[in-house]
Amino acid sequence: MSKKLSVFKVIELYKESLQAVHSPEQWKYLFNHLNTGFLRFVATGMGFKRQGSQGKMTKHDTQRAWDFFRNLSSDRLMEIEDALYRGYDLLNPPQASRNTYGAAVKGCLKWTQAEGFYPGSGSDDWEQKCAPRMHQGRGGIAEMRLTERRGRYPQYGLRPEELTATQQQNEAAFRTFYSGYCRPRNLVKTLEASSIDIYLEQSRLFLGFFKNVYQPGIPEEQLNFDLLLPKVSEEDLEDLSRRETRKLWQEGIDQTDDWVMAYQQYINEFCGSFSPHTWAGKESALLAIAKFQYRTLVSRRQDFYQIPMITHLQDQCSATEVLREQWRRTKKSVVKQEDKWPDPVLGETALETLYKEVTEPLRLEARPHNSRKQIRARTSIAKSTFIFLFWYLLTTFPPRRQEDYRETRIALSCPIKKPEEVPVHGLYLPPIEFKHRKKNRNGQLADNCLSRVYKHAGKNYPEGVYVIDFNDYKTDGFYGRQTFIIPNRLFSDNLTFYDYMDRWLFGEWMQTKSVKAEVYRGWQREFLGKRMLLITAGRMDFDPKDHHQPLEDEVGEQYIWGYWWVKPRAGNKFCDSNLARSFSTLAHRLMKTPKRPTPHTLRYIWATWAFQKGLSDRQLESLAYMMGHSLETLKRMYDRSTHEDKIRPIQAAIDEVLLRDLEDVHSMAQAAFSLSEMTMMAKGLSQEERQQLIQQLLNDEPSDI
């Protein structure tokens, strides 16, 4: 239990808060009135006896009075107002003095109540302020395997340091070839750096397979692209007949097929890799290497398809694509999808289950206090804030590809002159300046950027908005640049989503009576002069590996930017696997039925939710747009609606339309009378009523009969 502060310490803290919000002249004025009020009237009313005269207090009496307050616990603060009036009665000051010094003392008491020093003022419902105990005890996610494979993947690929000088040159030339900086231009489709990296990683797996499995002991100097695809030059073909040319190519095709089939068998048996999606990636890499190998034989892009090796590999890719499409259509997968997919209760979707069982509990875990009412460690608060933010985004905002979030950048340097629309005390995260942003070879933006601004698309936002700017190479040709405002939402405890975003990016201060607190003099006007404690610096608590770029026009100055999400404690950028594993671990820990969804699983869950809820085509198009792909892709690849989901709309239509119409026809038939029944009814009419009926039938007009 923390030690109680003395009344003297509380008065000193109040003086510090006054000094922070008033000019030196005002503070001196208030300081003197406060001292007189406590030393002369409150101390006397609480039983303090002066040794000198009843006039001006001597230095000795002043020191004794402050010692008197040092020995009073803050629990005695509730007695001070009564002591003030007793001091008035004993010393009988004029009314003006009572008003002046009484206002100073009462101002201090009001401040102690607001700060939580006053007895009873800190008795809020702590259950609503503290993070619950974390649910533990399910073990690691490694125990919940998603495939039938057991054991670790064999490490058979070449490491970068094992590459020969020849292969290093090949890789550098390959990168140049697919970056668009080669002649003739437009010979192949320009690839992004990330795609080139993937292809080169696959080539190292191929070469590692040769070295460690297929041909152990092969001389290292042979480990290059020529080993995968025999190189053929114009000189090799120059003096050959057509028959000899076909034979040369066929020998190369047979040689390539031999190792490719052996490699496919190896990854099936020892890596448990049976998916055509995995194999398609490897075939695409091999086809890309083939075009690089035979680039000297062509002058136009279409000439590639006159080369037998390339047409053969293209046929293999087409056959695999047919199998991939079959797997997509039948929802077949090597991974046990049921272990990645939530088990919603009746009437609830998987998306709603994830929010209820994972996202909201993570928000509660992000509270600054633990279950013992203690302020948590700064890094713990920052980590739980990041985790909640990422989960919240993926469960309430149509999820992009994981790479889009990992690559999003933020500016850490601000312009010297603040834009006019930014409030004096507003939090401002400017967009990264254009000259410091990543661009493609055509000079167009090729990165993602997050900003917190007060004017966007010509519209002012007094409270500010978070804007994310996507320039994804996969969607650039389809949609172009996409910019979205991240919606701010209010939670049940009156915090907002932006409060958590601000905590992650700017840090957070908390009002407290801790002795470690300091008088706040920062940018948030509502905290000025209050005792505050920096409980987290957000991402900065992890010492992020931010990027510093020298400014060309200013010697010694740097422009700084960093990544939106950084790994807790490590501070560097997330990679695909560790972000997915962190995401799955949390779901496994919190869900009632342990599951292992990944960020990519959320794309399937969102698409399925849209179809389960029966969204209109217009709404589906909007969802596809925000997810960064076409409506066709949303339906063909991401929809995981069950058999019951698919037949439910037509069953409802049958019940509401067809069967209802049939019931109406049946009711009308039951209401009709036969001729004999109408005759019997007519016999029961009087003579006058019969005449009216006959006249009515002849006139065919309504009657009151």
Side-chain angles (χ1 to χ4, degrees), residues 450-461:
L450 178 78
S451 57
R452 195 190 201 286
V453 296
Y454 294 81
K455 187 174 184 179
H456 174 66
K459 184 178 180 180
N460 290 320
Y461 295 88

PDB file of all heavy atoms in Angstrom, residues 450-461:
ATOM      1  N   LEU A 450       0.251   6.695 -43.295  1.00  0.00           N
ATOM      2  CA  LEU A 450      -0.792   7.047 -42.326  1.00  0.00           C
ATOM      3  C   LEU A 450      -0.549   8.464 -41.834  1.00  0.00           C
ATOM      4  O   LEU A 450       0.590   8.852 -41.570  1.00  0.00           O
ATOM      5  CB  LEU A 450      -0.772   6.079 -41.137  1.00  0.00           C
ATOM      6  CG  LEU A 450      -1.781   6.374 -40.028  1.00  0.00           C
ATOM      7  CD1 LEU A 450      -3.177   5.915 -40.432  1.00  0.00           C
ATOM      8  CD2 LEU A 450      -1.371   5.702 -38.710  1.00  0.00           C
ATOM      9  N   SER A 451      -1.625   9.237 -41.690  1.00  0.00           N
ATOM     10  CA  SER A 451      -1.492  10.600 -41.179  1.00  0.00           C
ATOM     11  C   SER A 451      -2.682  10.936 -40.287  1.00  0.00           C
ATOM     12  O   SER A 451      -3.735  10.299 -40.371  1.00  0.00           O
ATOM     13  CB  SER A 451      -1.395  11.613 -42.330  1.00  0.00           C
ATOM     14  OG  SER A 451      -2.529  11.521 -43.180  1.00  0.00           O
ATOM     15  N   ARG A 452      -2.480  11.930 -39.405  1.00  0.00           N
ATOM     16  CA  ARG A 452      -3.579  12.463 -38.590  1.00  0.00           C
ATOM     17  C   ARG A 452      -3.688  13.935 -38.922  1.00  0.00           C
ATOM     18  O   ARG A 452      -2.824  14.739 -38.558  1.00  0.00           O
ATOM     19  CB  ARG A 452      -3.308  12.281 -37.093  1.00  0.00           C
ATOM     20  CG  ARG A 452      -4.555  12.488 -36.212  1.00  0.00           C
ATOM     21  CD  ARG A 452      -4.172  12.547 -34.738  1.00  0.00           C
ATOM     22  NE  ARG A 452      -5.253  12.252 -33.838  1.00  0.00           N
ATOM     23  CZ  ARG A 452      -6.267  13.049 -33.547  1.00  0.00           C
ATOM     24  NH1 ARG A 452      -6.347  14.236 -34.145  1.00  0.00           N
ATOM     25  NH2 ARG A 452      -7.199  12.680 -32.698  1.00  0.00           N
ATOM     26  N   VAL A 453      -4.738  14.289 -39.659  1.00  0.00           N
ATOM     27  CA  VAL A 453      -4.858  15.640 -40.210  1.00  0.00           C
ATOM     28  C   VAL A 453      -6.205  16.248 -39.830  1.00  0.00           C
ATOM     29  O   VAL A 453      -7.097  15.564 -39.319  1.00  0.00           O
ATOM     30  CB  VAL A 453      -4.706  15.621 -41.741  1.00  0.00           C
ATOM     31  CG1 VAL A 453      -3.310  15.167 -42.138  1.00  0.00           C
ATOM     32  CG2 VAL A 453      -5.755  14.712 -42.384  1.00  0.00           C
ATOM     33  N   TYR A 454      -6.325  17.542 -40.108  1.00  0.00           N
ATOM     34  CA  TYR A 454      -7.549  18.276 -39.773  1.00  0.00           C
ATOM     35  C   TYR A 454      -8.242  18.810 -41.022  1.00  0.00           C
ATOM     36  O   TYR A 454      -9.286  19.443 -40.925  1.00  0.00           O
ATOM     37  CB  TYR A 454      -7.220  19.414 -38.810  1.00  0.00           C
ATOM     38  CG  TYR A 454      -6.746  18.895 -37.475  1.00  0.00           C
ATOM     39  CD1 TYR A 454      -5.426  18.471 -37.294  1.00  0.00           C
ATOM     40  CD2 TYR A 454      -7.616  18.780 -36.395  1.00  0.00           C
ATOM     41  CE1 TYR A 454      -4.990  17.964 -36.081  1.00  0.00           C
ATOM     42  CE2 TYR A 454      -7.186  18.279 -35.178  1.00  0.00           C
ATOM     43  CZ  TYR A 454      -5.877  17.871 -35.029  1.00  0.00           C
ATOM     44  OH  TYR A 454      -5.457  17.357 -33.825  1.00  0.00           O
ATOM     45  N   LYS A 455      -7.661  18.501 -42.171  1.00  0.00           N
ATOM     46  CA  LYS A 455      -8.288  18.844 -43.441  1.00  0.00           C
ATOM     47  C   LYS A 455      -7.955  17.759 -44.439  1.00  0.00           C
ATOM     48  O   LYS A 455      -6.788  17.408 -44.632  1.00  0.00           O
ATOM     49  CB  LYS A 455      -7.788  20.209 -43.942  1.00  0.00           C
ATOM     50  CG  LYS A 455      -8.525  20.710 -45.178  1.00  0.00           C
ATOM     51  CD  LYS A 455      -8.074  22.126 -45.541  1.00  0.00           C
ATOM     52  CE  LYS A 455      -8.887  22.669 -46.714  1.00  0.00           C
ATOM     53  NZ  LYS A 455      -8.477  24.066 -47.054  1.00  0.00           N
ATOM     54  N   HIS A 456      -8.997  17.212 -45.060  1.00  0.00           N
ATOM     55  CA  HIS A 456      -8.793  16.109 -46.002  1.00  0.00           C
ATOM     56  C   HIS A 456      -9.802  16.222 -47.135  1.00  0.00           C
ATOM     57  O   HIS A 456     -11.005  16.420 -46.887  1.00  0.00           O
ATOM     58  CB  HIS A 456      -8.946  14.760 -45.292  1.00  0.00           C
ATOM     59  CG  HIS A 456      -8.882  13.585 -46.222  1.00  0.00           C
ATOM     60  ND1 HIS A 456      -7.738  13.244 -46.908  1.00  0.00           N
ATOM     61  CD2 HIS A 456      -9.843  12.681 -46.595  1.00  0.00           C
ATOM     62  CE1 HIS A 456      -7.984  12.183 -47.639  1.00  0.00           C
ATOM     63  NE2 HIS A 456      -9.238  11.828 -47.473  1.00  0.00           N
ATOM     64  N   ALA A 457      -9.320  16.109 -48.348  1.00  0.00           N
ATOM     65  CA  ALA A 457     -10.166  16.166 -49.542  1.00  0.00           C
ATOM     66  C   ALA A 457     -11.035  17.422 -49.552  1.00  0.00           C
ATOM     67  O   ALA A 457     -12.217  17.370 -49.906  1.00  0.00           O
ATOM     68  CB  ALA A 457     -11.021  14.905 -49.646  1.00  0.00           C
ATOM     69  N   GLY A 458     -10.457  18.538 -49.110  1.00  0.00           N
ATOM     70  CA  GLY A 458     -11.166  19.805 -49.127  1.00  0.00           C
ATOM     71  C   GLY A 458     -12.147  20.024 -47.999  1.00  0.00           C
ATOM     72  O   GLY A 458     -12.833  21.048 -47.947  1.00  0.00           O
ATOM     73  N   LYS A 459     -12.224  19.085 -47.059  1.00  0.00           N
ATOM     74  CA  LYS A 459     -13.175  19.192 -45.954  1.00  0.00           C
ATOM     75  C   LYS A 459     -12.424  19.321 -44.638  1.00  0.00           C
ATOM     76  O   LYS A 459     -11.424  18.637 -44.406  1.00  0.00           O
ATOM     77  CB  LYS A 459     -14.090  17.961 -45.924  1.00  0.00           C
ATOM     78  CG  LYS A 459     -15.176  18.023 -44.869  1.00  0.00           C
ATOM     79  CD  LYS A 459     -16.074  16.793 -44.941  1.00  0.00           C
ATOM     80  CE  LYS A 459     -17.173  16.835 -43.883  1.00  0.00           C
ATOM     81  NZ  LYS A 459     -18.047  15.633 -43.940  1.00  0.00           N
ATOM     82  N   ASN A 460     -12.903  20.209 -43.771  1.00  0.00           N
ATOM     83  CA  ASN A 460     -12.276  20.424 -42.462  1.00  0.00           C
ATOM     84  C   ASN A 460     -12.845  19.463 -41.425  1.00  0.00           C
ATOM     85  O   ASN A 460     -14.048  19.188 -41.409  1.00  0.00           O
ATOM     86  CB  ASN A 460     -12.481  21.867 -41.991  1.00  0.00           C
ATOM     87  CG  ASN A 460     -11.674  22.858 -42.813  1.00  0.00           C
ATOM     88  OD1 ASN A 460     -10.531  22.593 -43.165  1.00  0.00           O
ATOM     89  ND2 ASN A 460     -12.265  23.990 -43.134  1.00  0.00           N
ATOM     90  N   TYR A 461     -11.973  18.986 -40.547  1.00  0.00           N
ATOM     91  CA  TYR A 461     -12.359  18.102 -39.454  1.00  0.00           C
ATOM     92  C   TYR A 461     -11.800  18.704 -38.161  1.00  0.00           C
ATOM     93  O   TYR A 461     -10.606  18.525 -37.862  1.00  0.00           O
ATOM     94  CB  TYR A 461     -11.803  16.697 -39.679  1.00  0.00           C
ATOM     95  CG  TYR A 461     -12.376  16.008 -40.892  1.00  0.00           C
ATOM     96  CD1 TYR A 461     -11.792  16.170 -42.149  1.00  0.00           C
ATOM     97  CD2 TYR A 461     -13.507  15.212 -40.797  1.00  0.00           C
ATOM     98  CE1 TYR A 461     -12.319  15.547 -43.270  1.00  0.00           C
ATOM     99  CE2 TYR A 461     -14.033  14.577 -41.910  1.00  0.00           C
ATOM    100  CZ  TYR A 461     -13.439  14.752 -43.143  1.00  0.00           C
ATOM    101  OH  TYR A 461     -13.961  14.133 -44.252  1.00  0.00           O
TER     102      TYR A 461
END
